[in-house]
């Protein structure tokens, strides 16, 4: 799969998972990598709307 070859390093995702698991006040979403960071621009939309588009 070409998308997997161009994906972010798994360590970036692992850091986001650790942050989510250890945060005393967890957020609804944690971004991992530059593409996900750019998607944060959609933060003004409700979570259900963003999630439905990603799926």
């Amino acid at each position: 799969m070409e998308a997997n070859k161009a994906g972010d390093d798994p360590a970036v995702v692992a850091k986001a998972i650790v942050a989510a698991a250890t945060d005393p006040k967890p957020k609804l979403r944690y971004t991992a990598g530059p593409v996900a960071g750019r998607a944060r621009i959609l933060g003004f939309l409700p979570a259900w709307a963003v999630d439905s588009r990603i799926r």
Side-chain angles (χ1 to χ4, degrees), residues 26-37:
K27 299 180 269 185
L28 184 60
R29 289 191 190 90
Y30 289 81
T31 56
V35 175

Side-chain angles (χ1 to χ4, degrees), residues 1-8 35:
M1 300 220 153
E2 288 299 316
N4 290 340
K5 291 178 185 175
D8 294 319
V35 175

Side-chain angles (χ1 to χ4, degrees), residues 23-50:
D23 195 343
K25 287 182 144 184
K27 299 180 269 185
L28 184 60
R29 289 191 190 90
Y30 289 81
T31 56
V35 175
R38 283 179 265 171
R40 291 183 83 179
I41 228 168
L42 301 174
F44 63 90
L45 294 173
W48 62 265
V50 176

